[in-house]
Amino acid sequence: MQINSASALNSPSLRAAREAKGMSLRAAAHQSGIDPGHLSKVERGEKQLSIEALYRLAVVVDLDELASHLKPLLPRAVA
């Protein structure tokens, strides 16, 4: 089963979740290991994240349900 990050969660929801947690874009990017410029483009709907990066971001911004759906799709080394 393949999941496209855009279909898993839309970009404005990522931004809203990050902001609801009171995190700056740079802090969320740093903590999840994503380039801040790339995350900015993801939030604007211009780029997508890999499953692994989306999982890390979901963990950082407390999107527990999304993280639990993504975790079985990760390679064992990441999960």
Side-chain angles (χ1 to χ4, degrees):
M1 175 173 141
Q2 288 186 329
I3 292 181
N4 169 320
S5 66
S7 67
L9 189 68
N10 66 33
S11 300
S13 294
L14 288 173
R15 178 179 293 142
R18 175 182 57 76
E19 290 175 344
K21 188 164 176 173
M23 295 186 81
S24 70
L25 184 135
R26 286 190 183 275
H30 176 74
Q31 290 180 31
S32 58
I34 301 169
D35 178 77
H38 186 76
L39 182 55
S40 177
K41 289 177 182 176
V42 168
E43 288 187 352
R44 292 194 312 265
E46 298 171 5
K47 295 283 184 176
Q48 294 182 357
L49 292 172
S50 67
I51 296 293
E52 292 89 355
L54 183 57
Y55 171 78
R56 292 191 313 264
L57 182 61
V59 170
V60 167
V61 297
D62 295 330
L63 295 173
D64 299 330
E65 187 174 349
L66 176 61
S68 70
H69 286 290
L70 294 173
K71 191 169 183 172
L73 303 174
L74 298 174
R76 287 184 184 256
V78 177

